[in-house]
Amino acid sequence: MLALVLALALGVTLGLLTNVSVPVGWLTYLGVAVLAAIDACLGGVKASLEETFDDKVFVSGFLTNTLMAAFIVYVGDQIGVRELYLAAVVAFGMRVFENLGTVRRLLFRRWGWE
Amino acid sequence: MGLHDRLPSKDTLVHLRDESTKRLNAQGNLVGRSFNEARLVASLAVGLLLVGFLLVAQMRGHATFTGSLERQSDQNLAIIIQQLTAENNVLRSEIVRLQMRLLEASQATEDRTQVLNEAARELNSVSVIAGLERAAGPGVSVSIADPERVLLPQDFVRVVHELRSGGAEAVSVNGVRVTATSGFASRNGRIELDGTMLAPGYTVIAIGEPVSLAQSLELPGGLKTTLATFPGVVVEVATDDELTVPAGTTAGFTFGTPVEDE
């Protein structure tokens, strides 16, 4: 668990140090992609707590979810339904909260607080 | 044999073997599980690292986007456009106004320089004519020999007059400039110009067009011939490309005042 927190902190530090900035045109795409990535990571944590974690599933899910999320927003832009990104945001947002709830409950069980 | 007695029974051996196998399997499972654990942590860590990195990049991009025009609503954009257009118009009219002023100013400067140049030119010619400045240029040098001192002031007046008729711009006699207020006089049988005694062996220098100056004196029946009839008088006229006439002294008005005419 500590290693995961450290990895997140390292990513943030790396981002701050390299001083990257997303081009304005890519903002919506990357925003939704980041949401999908957060969802995938929470799913991974949940699976590991349930002891059903499979790294192949995690990596493929991480990649396809982020890419597809960005792609859906792109398609929405192309066909004139710019609000399509809302669908992705709602779907991933709900999944993030669901996963968060499950992870919380699993952690409580593991730590014997339940 | 005692050795036989010490051997464990078959059951015990089987039990021991099973025990070992179980422990081995358990260990194997443990190895496998920790291996899986490492892969889990590694992949999750990489995923989280990516998430952190992308989050920061996204936040930074968003921060720059917030201040940009693309974020403004259509109404705001319309207002901004209106403001900018109005500002543009004001600036444009100011440019026109300033250009007009620049034009006026440069015209005024031009006029002033023109007036100044003209004034300077006029002043120059006036001061040459008035004899305030040294004058140099082509002209004639007239040497008059009068060993017997028969020449009178009016003869010099005539010489100067003839030269002026021929277009002389500046005239001097024996190094004394003849100005507008100059006068020849006779004192004790000697010729004076503005109070300066003129020694015989006179030299009259006139600046002007050399040929016409020479002609004005050397005309048939002209002044040269007339003067030559006096005893001992010899007049010689020589043209020269570079002659100098000294500056004269001109007294200012004492009794009169300049009157400006319309």
Side-chain angles (χ1 to χ4, degrees), chain B residues 189-240:
Chain B
R190 296 192 164 198
I191 308 295
E192 249 183 31
L193 171 55
D194 295 342
T196 308
M197 197 74 77
L198 301 177
Y202 313 100
T203 309
V204 181
I205 292 174
I207 306 284
E209 214 277 300
V211 176
S212 48
L213 284 179
Q215 272 178 355
S216 66
L217 292 179
E218 290 175 329
L219 273 173
L223 192 58
K224 187 182 170 186
T225 328
T226 312
L227 290 178
T229 58
F230 293 122
V233 173
V234 178
V235 178
E236 269 174 37
V237 180
T239 59
D240 200 328

mmCIF file of all heavy atoms in Angstrom, chain B residues 189-240:
data_model
loop_
_atom_site.group_PDB
_atom_site.id
_atom_site.type_symbol
_atom_site.label_atom_id
_atom_site.label_comp_id
_atom_site.label_asym_id
_atom_site.label_seq_id
_atom_site.Cartn_x
_atom_site.Cartn_y
_atom_site.Cartn_z
ATOM 1 N N GLY B 189 45.647 118.966 -51.511
ATOM 2 C CA GLY B 189 46.057 118.436 -52.811
ATOM 3 C C GLY B 189 46.145 116.925 -52.854
ATOM 4 O O GLY B 189 46.612 116.333 -53.820
ATOM 5 N N ARG B 190 45.696 116.268 -51.783
ATOM 6 C CA ARG B 190 45.714 114.791 -51.796
ATOM 7 C C ARG B 190 44.283 114.247 -51.737
ATOM 8 O O ARG B 190 43.385 114.910 -51.240
ATOM 9 C CB ARG B 190 46.493 114.273 -50.589
ATOM 10 C CG ARG B 190 47.937 114.695 -50.653
ATOM 11 C CD ARG B 190 48.745 113.942 -49.626
ATOM 12 N NE ARG B 190 50.147 114.052 -49.932
ATOM 13 C CZ ARG B 190 51.062 113.238 -49.445
ATOM 14 N NH1 ARG B 190 50.691 112.238 -48.646
ATOM 15 N NH2 ARG B 190 52.318 113.384 -49.732
ATOM 16 N N ILE B 191 44.165 113.057 -52.254
ATOM 17 C CA ILE B 191 42.840 112.453 -52.314
ATOM 18 C C ILE B 191 42.614 111.630 -51.041
ATOM 19 O O ILE B 191 43.493 110.894 -50.588
ATOM 20 C CB ILE B 191 42.706 111.530 -53.523
ATOM 21 C CG1 ILE B 191 43.130 112.233 -54.827
ATOM 22 C CG2 ILE B 191 41.271 110.999 -53.654
ATOM 23 C CD1 ILE B 191 42.237 113.396 -55.221
ATOM 24 N N GLU B 192 41.417 111.803 -50.471
ATOM 25 C CA GLU B 192 41.056 111.064 -49.263
ATOM 26 C C GLU B 192 39.792 110.254 -49.547
ATOM 27 O O GLU B 192 38.890 110.725 -50.228
ATOM 28 C CB GLU B 192 40.739 112.048 -48.139
ATOM 29 C CG GLU B 192 41.755 112.049 -47.022
ATOM 30 C CD GLU B 192 41.303 113.004 -45.940
ATOM 31 O OE1 GLU B 192 40.061 113.162 -45.777
ATOM 32 O OE2 GLU B 192 42.168 113.572 -45.293
ATOM 33 N N LEU B 193 39.773 109.065 -49.006
ATOM 34 C CA LEU B 193 38.525 108.261 -49.083
ATOM 35 C C LEU B 193 38.137 107.914 -47.666
ATOM 36 O O LEU B 193 38.841 107.153 -46.976
ATOM 37 C CB LEU B 193 38.760 106.996 -49.920
ATOM 38 C CG LEU B 193 37.624 105.955 -49.925
ATOM 39 C CD1 LEU B 193 36.299 106.567 -50.350
ATOM 40 C CD2 LEU B 193 37.998 104.790 -50.818
ATOM 41 N N ASP B 194 37.011 108.480 -47.227
ATOM 42 C CA ASP B 194 36.496 108.235 -45.861
ATOM 43 C C ASP B 194 37.565 108.496 -44.806
ATOM 44 O O ASP B 194 37.714 107.721 -43.850
ATOM 45 C CB ASP B 194 35.982 106.789 -45.716
ATOM 46 C CG ASP B 194 34.775 106.537 -46.601
ATOM 47 O OD1 ASP B 194 34.161 107.527 -47.035
ATOM 48 O OD2 ASP B 194 34.452 105.356 -46.842
ATOM 49 N N GLY B 195 38.327 109.558 -45.018
ATOM 50 C CA GLY B 195 39.302 109.924 -44.014
ATOM 51 C C GLY B 195 40.635 109.237 -44.174
ATOM 52 O O GLY B 195 41.573 109.502 -43.425
ATOM 53 N N THR B 196 40.754 108.323 -45.130
ATOM 54 C CA THR B 196 42.043 107.657 -45.347
ATOM 55 C C THR B 196 42.747 108.279 -46.537
ATOM 56 O O THR B 196 42.149 108.430 -47.608
ATOM 57 C CB THR B 196 41.828 106.159 -45.628
ATOM 58 O OG1 THR B 196 41.003 105.624 -44.597
ATOM 59 C CG2 THR B 196 43.139 105.403 -45.672
ATOM 60 N N MET B 197 43.984 108.651 -46.299
ATOM 61 C CA MET B 197 44.751 109.263 -47.375
ATOM 62 C C MET B 197 45.094 108.206 -48.409
ATOM 63 O O MET B 197 45.535 107.106 -48.063
ATOM 64 C CB MET B 197 46.053 109.833 -46.791
ATOM 65 C CG MET B 197 46.727 110.828 -47.707
ATOM 66 S SD MET B 197 45.855 112.399 -47.717
ATOM 67 C CE MET B 197 46.400 113.063 -46.147
ATOM 68 N N LEU B 198 44.882 108.565 -49.719
ATOM 69 C CA LEU B 198 45.218 107.633 -50.782
ATOM 70 C C LEU B 198 46.530 108.056 -51.404
ATOM 71 O O LEU B 198 46.658 109.181 -51.876
ATOM 72 C CB LEU B 198 44.116 107.600 -51.846
ATOM 73 C CG LEU B 198 42.713 107.200 -51.376
ATOM 74 C CD1 LEU B 198 41.720 107.295 -52.540
ATOM 75 C CD2 LEU B 198 42.728 105.782 -50.827
ATOM 76 N N ALA B 199 47.502 107.153 -51.382
ATOM 77 C CA ALA B 199 48.790 107.470 -51.979
ATOM 78 C C ALA B 199 48.709 107.270 -53.481
ATOM 79 O O ALA B 199 47.977 106.381 -53.943
ATOM 80 C CB ALA B 199 49.865 106.571 -51.386
ATOM 81 N N PRO B 200 49.407 108.078 -54.272
ATOM 82 C CA PRO B 200 49.365 107.918 -55.730
ATOM 83 C C PRO B 200 49.919 106.545 -56.119
ATOM 84 O O PRO B 200 50.684 105.936 -55.374
ATOM 85 C CB PRO B 200 50.276 109.021 -56.251
ATOM 86 C CG PRO B 200 50.529 109.939 -55.125
ATOM 87 C CD PRO B 200 50.311 109.206 -53.856
ATOM 88 N N GLY B 201 49.575 106.200 -57.317
ATOM 89 C CA GLY B 201 49.797 104.800 -57.707
ATOM 90 C C GLY B 201 48.616 104.014 -57.194
ATOM 91 O O GLY B 201 48.753 103.086 -56.413
ATOM 92 N N TYR B 202 47.409 104.522 -57.629
ATOM 93 C CA TYR B 202 46.158 103.971 -57.079
ATOM 94 C C TYR B 202 45.816 102.626 -57.699
ATOM 95 O O TYR B 202 46.126 102.372 -58.857
ATOM 96 C CB TYR B 202 45.005 104.951 -57.315
ATOM 97 C CG TYR B 202 45.330 106.365 -56.944
ATOM 98 C CD1 TYR B 202 45.679 107.298 -57.916
ATOM 99 C CD2 TYR B 202 45.301 106.774 -55.600
ATOM 100 C CE1 TYR B 202 45.984 108.596 -57.575
ATOM 101 C CE2 TYR B 202 45.621 108.083 -55.265
ATOM 102 C CZ TYR B 202 45.964 108.988 -56.252
ATOM 103 O OH TYR B 202 46.291 110.257 -55.918
ATOM 104 N N THR B 203 45.201 101.802 -56.878
ATOM 105 C CA THR B 203 44.695 100.527 -57.392
ATOM 106 C C THR B 203 43.220 100.412 -57.023
ATOM 107 O O THR B 203 42.862 100.438 -55.837
ATOM 108 C CB THR B 203 45.451 99.344 -56.774
ATOM 109 O OG1 THR B 203 46.855 99.594 -56.925
ATOM 110 C CG2 THR B 203 45.076 98.046 -57.460
ATOM 111 N N VAL B 204 42.394 100.338 -58.040
ATOM 112 C CA VAL B 204 40.953 100.175 -57.805
ATOM 113 C C VAL B 204 40.595 98.720 -58.130
ATOM 114 O O VAL B 204 40.911 98.233 -59.214
ATOM 115 C CB VAL B 204 40.129 101.134 -58.691
ATOM 116 C CG1 VAL B 204 38.644 100.976 -58.409
ATOM 117 C CG2 VAL B 204 40.579 102.565 -58.476
ATOM 118 N N ILE B 205 39.982 98.053 -57.171
ATOM 119 C CA ILE B 205 39.583 96.656 -57.405
ATOM 120 C C ILE B 205 38.063 96.576 -57.372
ATOM 121 O O ILE B 205 37.412 97.125 -56.468
ATOM 122 C CB ILE B 205 40.192 95.729 -56.339
ATOM 123 C CG1 ILE B 205 41.717 95.664 -56.531
ATOM 124 C CG2 ILE B 205 39.588 94.323 -56.420
ATOM 125 C CD1 ILE B 205 42.440 94.900 -55.475
ATOM 126 N N ALA B 206 37.501 95.931 -58.370
ATOM 127 C CA ALA B 206 36.042 95.775 -58.431
ATOM 128 C C ALA B 206 35.712 94.299 -58.654
ATOM 129 O O ALA B 206 36.304 93.650 -59.508
ATOM 130 C CB ALA B 206 35.464 96.618 -59.554
ATOM 131 N N ILE B 207 34.789 93.816 -57.867
ATOM 132 C CA ILE B 207 34.322 92.433 -58.042
ATOM 133 C C ILE B 207 33.065 92.468 -58.886
ATOM 134 O O ILE B 207 32.155 93.260 -58.635
ATOM 135 C CB ILE B 207 33.987 91.799 -56.676
ATOM 136 C CG1 ILE B 207 35.151 91.888 -55.700
ATOM 137 C CG2 ILE B 207 33.529 90.350 -56.844
ATOM 138 C CD1 ILE B 207 36.265 90.951 -55.914
ATOM 139 N N GLY B 208 33.001 91.602 -59.874
ATOM 140 C CA GLY B 208 31.838 91.562 -60.759
ATOM 141 C C GLY B 208 32.207 90.788 -61.996
ATOM 142 O O GLY B 208 33.232 90.102 -62.037
ATOM 143 N N GLU B 209 31.360 90.898 -63.005
ATOM 144 C CA GLU B 209 31.640 90.165 -64.239
ATOM 145 C C GLU B 209 32.832 90.841 -64.920
ATOM 146 O O GLU B 209 32.741 92.011 -65.344
ATOM 147 C CB GLU B 209 30.388 90.211 -65.123
ATOM 148 C CG GLU B 209 30.183 88.952 -65.939
ATOM 149 C CD GLU B 209 31.011 88.994 -67.216
ATOM 150 O OE1 GLU B 209 30.809 89.905 -68.027
ATOM 151 O OE2 GLU B 209 31.887 88.114 -67.385
ATOM 152 N N PRO B 210 33.982 90.196 -65.060
ATOM 153 C CA PRO B 210 35.218 90.864 -65.468
ATOM 154 C C PRO B 210 35.121 91.577 -66.811
ATOM 155 O O PRO B 210 35.562 92.724 -66.931
ATOM 156 C CB PRO B 210 36.226 89.711 -65.534
ATOM 157 C CG PRO B 210 35.668 88.657 -64.657
ATOM 158 C CD PRO B 210 34.186 88.783 -64.768
ATOM 159 N N VAL B 211 34.511 90.908 -67.791
ATOM 160 C CA VAL B 211 34.505 91.483 -69.137
ATOM 161 C C VAL B 211 33.694 92.774 -69.180
ATOM 162 O O VAL B 211 34.134 93.804 -69.694
ATOM 163 C CB VAL B 211 33.965 90.463 -70.158
ATOM 164 C CG1 VAL B 211 33.863 91.101 -71.533
ATOM 165 C CG2 VAL B 211 34.868 89.239 -70.196
ATOM 166 N N SER B 212 32.487 92.721 -68.583
ATOM 167 C CA SER B 212 31.662 93.936 -68.647
ATOM 168 C C SER B 212 32.272 95.047 -67.795
ATOM 169 O O SER B 212 32.144 96.228 -68.132
ATOM 170 C CB SER B 212 30.217 93.646 -68.222
ATOM 171 O OG SER B 212 30.194 92.932 -67.033
ATOM 172 N N LEU B 213 32.939 94.690 -66.719
ATOM 173 C CA LEU B 213 33.609 95.707 -65.911
ATOM 174 C C LEU B 213 34.720 96.384 -66.724
ATOM 175 O O LEU B 213 34.841 97.616 -66.739
ATOM 176 C CB LEU B 213 34.202 95.068 -64.642
ATOM 177 C CG LEU B 213 33.228 94.730 -63.521
ATOM 178 C CD1 LEU B 213 33.963 94.081 -62.362
ATOM 179 C CD2 LEU B 213 32.492 95.973 -63.046
ATOM 180 N N ALA B 214 35.496 95.565 -67.394
ATOM 181 C CA ALA B 214 36.587 96.113 -68.196
ATOM 182 C C ALA B 214 36.037 96.990 -69.306
ATOM 183 O O ALA B 214 36.546 98.088 -69.563
ATOM 184 C CB ALA B 214 37.419 94.967 -68.760
ATOM 185 N N GLN B 215 34.929 96.483 -69.934
ATOM 186 C CA GLN B 215 34.341 97.254 -71.039
ATOM 187 C C GLN B 215 33.839 98.608 -70.578
ATOM 188 O O GLN B 215 33.966 99.605 -71.271
ATOM 189 C CB GLN B 215 33.189 96.466 -71.650
ATOM 190 C CG GLN B 215 33.655 95.525 -72.741
ATOM 191 C CD GLN B 215 32.503 94.728 -73.300
ATOM 192 O OE1 GLN B 215 31.380 94.828 -72.797
ATOM 193 N NE2 GLN B 215 32.794 93.949 -74.337
ATOM 194 N N SER B 216 33.279 98.652 -69.349
ATOM 195 C CA SER B 216 32.705 99.904 -68.877
ATOM 196 C C SER B 216 33.777 101.005 -68.797
ATOM 197 O O SER B 216 33.460 102.175 -68.907
ATOM 198 C CB SER B 216 32.048 99.697 -67.500
ATOM 199 O OG SER B 216 33.047 99.382 -66.549
ATOM 200 N N LEU B 217 35.017 100.605 -68.586
ATOM 201 C CA LEU B 217 36.083 101.612 -68.535
ATOM 202 C C LEU B 217 36.738 101.820 -69.889
ATOM 203 O O LEU B 217 37.169 102.913 -70.230
ATOM 204 C CB LEU B 217 37.152 101.176 -67.527
ATOM 205 C CG LEU B 217 36.735 101.178 -66.063
ATOM 206 C CD1 LEU B 217 37.874 100.714 -65.192
ATOM 207 C CD2 LEU B 217 36.265 102.558 -65.629
ATOM 208 N N GLU B 218 36.830 100.739 -70.684
ATOM 209 C CA GLU B 218 37.624 100.799 -71.911
ATOM 210 C C GLU B 218 36.800 101.106 -73.155
ATOM 211 O O GLU B 218 37.307 100.978 -74.265
ATOM 212 C CB GLU B 218 38.356 99.461 -72.104
ATOM 213 C CG GLU B 218 39.455 99.250 -71.073
ATOM 214 C CD GLU B 218 40.091 97.889 -71.174
ATOM 215 O OE1 GLU B 218 39.383 96.928 -71.566
ATOM 216 O OE2 GLU B 218 41.293 97.770 -70.866
ATOM 217 N N LEU B 219 35.532 101.494 -72.951
ATOM 218 C CA LEU B 219 34.711 101.861 -74.115
ATOM 219 C C LEU B 219 35.420 102.951 -74.911
ATOM 220 O O LEU B 219 36.083 103.815 -74.331
ATOM 221 C CB LEU B 219 33.357 102.405 -73.651
ATOM 222 C CG LEU B 219 32.231 101.419 -73.392
ATOM 223 C CD1 LEU B 219 31.046 102.146 -72.791
ATOM 224 C CD2 LEU B 219 31.820 100.749 -74.694
ATOM 225 N N PRO B 220 35.260 102.934 -76.228
ATOM 226 C CA PRO B 220 35.853 104.041 -77.011
ATOM 227 C C PRO B 220 35.270 105.376 -76.552
ATOM 228 O O PRO B 220 34.044 105.516 -76.462
ATOM 229 C CB PRO B 220 35.416 103.725 -78.452
ATOM 230 C CG PRO B 220 35.078 102.260 -78.433
ATOM 231 C CD PRO B 220 34.605 101.928 -77.059
ATOM 232 N N GLY B 221 36.115 106.283 -76.228
ATOM 233 C CA GLY B 221 35.655 107.572 -75.697
ATOM 234 C C GLY B 221 35.200 107.473 -74.272
ATOM 235 O O GLY B 221 34.552 108.357 -73.735
ATOM 236 N N GLY B 222 35.548 106.398 -73.629
ATOM 237 C CA GLY B 222 35.136 106.176 -72.249
ATOM 238 C C GLY B 222 36.088 106.810 -71.256
ATOM 239 O O GLY B 222 36.958 107.621 -71.612
ATOM 240 N N LEU B 223 35.938 106.382 -69.986
ATOM 241 C CA LEU B 223 36.665 107.044 -68.909
ATOM 242 C C LEU B 223 38.174 106.843 -69.029
ATOM 243 O O LEU B 223 38.961 107.740 -68.738
ATOM 244 C CB LEU B 223 36.186 106.496 -67.565
ATOM 245 C CG LEU B 223 36.638 107.287 -66.351
ATOM 246 C CD1 LEU B 223 36.176 108.733 -66.422
ATOM 247 C CD2 LEU B 223 36.143 106.633 -65.084
ATOM 248 N N LYS B 224 38.582 105.654 -69.487
ATOM 249 C CA LYS B 224 40.017 105.383 -69.591
ATOM 250 C C LYS B 224 40.678 106.378 -70.539
ATOM 251 O O LYS B 224 41.710 106.983 -70.235
ATOM 252 C CB LYS B 224 40.225 103.955 -70.086
ATOM 253 C CG LYS B 224 41.686 103.541 -70.065
ATOM 254 C CD LYS B 224 41.858 102.127 -70.604
ATOM 255 C CE LYS B 224 43.347 101.826 -70.797
ATOM 256 N NZ LYS B 224 43.548 100.534 -71.433
ATOM 257 N N THR B 225 40.025 106.573 -71.685
ATOM 258 C CA THR B 225 40.555 107.501 -72.676
ATOM 259 C C THR B 225 40.574 108.908 -72.111
ATOM 260 O O THR B 225 41.561 109.662 -72.273
ATOM 261 C CB THR B 225 39.663 107.477 -73.937
ATOM 262 O OG1 THR B 225 39.132 106.160 -74.092
ATOM 263 C CG2 THR B 225 40.457 107.855 -75.159
ATOM 264 N N THR B 226 39.472 109.261 -71.415
ATOM 265 C CA THR B 226 39.376 110.607 -70.863
ATOM 266 C C THR B 226 40.503 110.855 -69.871
ATOM 267 O O THR B 226 41.178 111.892 -69.921
ATOM 268 C CB THR B 226 38.030 110.794 -70.149
ATOM 269 O OG1 THR B 226 36.997 110.322 -70.998
ATOM 270 C CG2 THR B 226 37.796 112.242 -69.791
ATOM 271 N N LEU B 227 40.715 109.886 -68.949
ATOM 272 C CA LEU B 227 41.738 110.073 -67.933
ATOM 273 C C LEU B 227 43.125 110.122 -68.553
ATOM 274 O O LEU B 227 44.007 110.832 -68.076
ATOM 275 C CB LEU B 227 41.666 108.955 -66.895
ATOM 276 C CG LEU B 227 40.448 108.980 -65.965
ATOM 277 C CD1 LEU B 227 40.481 107.797 -65.016
ATOM 278 C CD2 LEU B 227 40.393 110.284 -65.172
ATOM 279 N N ALA B 228 43.298 109.330 -69.600
ATOM 280 C CA ALA B 228 44.618 109.266 -70.232
ATOM 281 C C ALA B 228 45.024 110.591 -70.850
ATOM 282 O O ALA B 228 46.207 110.817 -71.150
ATOM 283 C CB ALA B 228 44.627 108.151 -71.261
ATOM 284 N N THR B 229 44.036 111.484 -71.034
ATOM 285 C CA THR B 229 44.382 112.774 -71.621
ATOM 286 C C THR B 229 45.053 113.689 -70.606
ATOM 287 O O THR B 229 45.700 114.650 -70.960
ATOM 288 C CB THR B 229 43.131 113.484 -72.168
ATOM 289 O OG1 THR B 229 42.205 113.635 -71.088
ATOM 290 C CG2 THR B 229 42.505 112.692 -73.308
ATOM 291 N N PHE B 230 44.909 113.364 -69.307
ATOM 292 C CA PHE B 230 45.587 114.189 -68.297
ATOM 293 C C PHE B 230 47.075 113.918 -68.349
ATOM 294 O O PHE B 230 47.475 112.775 -68.616
ATOM 295 C CB PHE B 230 45.043 113.877 -66.890
ATOM 296 C CG PHE B 230 43.613 114.297 -66.705
ATOM 297 C CD1 PHE B 230 42.640 113.387 -66.342
ATOM 298 C CD2 PHE B 230 43.242 115.649 -66.896
ATOM 299 C CE1 PHE B 230 41.340 113.771 -66.171
ATOM 300 C CE2 PHE B 230 41.922 116.016 -66.709
ATOM 301 C CZ PHE B 230 40.955 115.088 -66.350
ATOM 302 N N PRO B 231 47.868 114.902 -68.050
ATOM 303 C CA PRO B 231 49.317 114.677 -68.128
ATOM 304 C C PRO B 231 49.796 113.649 -67.096
ATOM 305 O O PRO B 231 49.462 113.762 -65.913
ATOM 306 C CB PRO B 231 49.911 116.066 -67.839
ATOM 307 C CG PRO B 231 48.822 116.849 -67.194
ATOM 308 C CD PRO B 231 47.530 116.322 -67.673
ATOM 309 N N GLY B 232 50.531 112.697 -67.595
ATOM 310 C CA GLY B 232 51.170 111.700 -66.723
ATOM 311 C C GLY B 232 50.271 110.572 -66.268
ATOM 312 O O GLY B 232 50.736 109.598 -65.686
ATOM 313 N N VAL B 233 48.971 110.689 -66.557
ATOM 314 C CA VAL B 233 48.053 109.665 -66.048
ATOM 315 C C VAL B 233 48.057 108.448 -66.976
ATOM 316 O O VAL B 233 47.906 108.587 -68.174
ATOM 317 C CB VAL B 233 46.624 110.211 -65.903
ATOM 318 C CG1 VAL B 233 45.656 109.076 -65.529
ATOM 319 C CG2 VAL B 233 46.587 111.314 -64.881
ATOM 320 N N VAL B 234 48.276 107.275 -66.364
ATOM 321 C CA VAL B 234 48.211 106.040 -67.142
ATOM 322 C C VAL B 234 47.217 105.096 -66.446
ATOM 323 O O VAL B 234 47.317 104.863 -65.245
ATOM 324 C CB VAL B 234 49.587 105.346 -67.217
ATOM 325 C CG1 VAL B 234 49.469 104.047 -68.000
ATOM 326 C CG2 VAL B 234 50.606 106.272 -67.826
ATOM 327 N N VAL B 235 46.254 104.616 -67.192
ATOM 328 C CA VAL B 235 45.250 103.695 -66.618
ATOM 329 C C VAL B 235 45.444 102.319 -67.243
ATOM 330 O O VAL B 235 45.528 102.196 -68.459
ATOM 331 C CB VAL B 235 43.822 104.211 -66.889
ATOM 332 C CG1 VAL B 235 42.799 103.226 -66.327
ATOM 333 C CG2 VAL B 235 43.625 105.596 -66.303
ATOM 334 N N GLU B 236 45.531 101.327 -66.370
ATOM 335 C CA GLU B 236 45.643 99.966 -66.891
ATOM 336 C C GLU B 236 44.552 99.103 -66.250
ATOM 337 O O GLU B 236 44.378 99.108 -65.031
ATOM 338 C CB GLU B 236 47.015 99.388 -66.577
ATOM 339 C CG GLU B 236 48.005 99.666 -67.693
ATOM 340 C CD GLU B 236 49.409 99.226 -67.324
ATOM 341 O OE1 GLU B 236 49.505 98.168 -66.652
ATOM 342 O OE2 GLU B 236 50.345 99.951 -67.661
ATOM 343 N N VAL B 237 43.838 98.382 -67.083
ATOM 344 C CA VAL B 237 42.748 97.534 -66.593
ATOM 345 C C VAL B 237 43.136 96.070 -66.817
ATOM 346 O O VAL B 237 43.516 95.704 -67.914
ATOM 347 C CB VAL B 237 41.431 97.836 -67.333
ATOM 348 C CG1 VAL B 237 40.309 96.944 -66.799
ATOM 349 C CG2 VAL B 237 41.070 99.307 -67.184
ATOM 350 N N ALA B 238 43.103 95.290 -65.746
ATOM 351 C CA ALA B 238 43.424 93.856 -65.866
ATOM 352 C C ALA B 238 42.311 93.045 -65.229
ATOM 353 O O ALA B 238 41.855 93.344 -64.123
ATOM 354 C CB ALA B 238 44.747 93.569 -65.173
ATOM 355 N N THR B 239 41.875 92.023 -65.953
ATOM 356 C CA THR B 239 40.842 91.136 -65.360
ATOM 357 C C THR B 239 41.546 90.041 -64.557
ATOM 358 O O THR B 239 42.674 89.680 -64.834
ATOM 359 C CB THR B 239 39.979 90.491 -66.454
ATOM 360 O OG1 THR B 239 40.842 89.737 -67.310
ATOM 361 C CG2 THR B 239 39.244 91.531 -67.268
ATOM 362 N N ASP B 240 40.837 89.577 -63.567
ATOM 363 C CA ASP B 240 41.416 88.540 -62.693
ATOM 364 C C ASP B 240 40.279 87.645 -62.179
ATOM 365 O O ASP B 240 39.154 88.110 -61.993
ATOM 366 C CB ASP B 240 42.123 89.206 -61.503
ATOM 367 C CG ASP B 240 43.124 88.256 -60.856
ATOM 368 O OD1 ASP B 240 42.864 87.019 -60.868
ATOM 369 O OD2 ASP B 240 44.141 88.734 -60.327
#
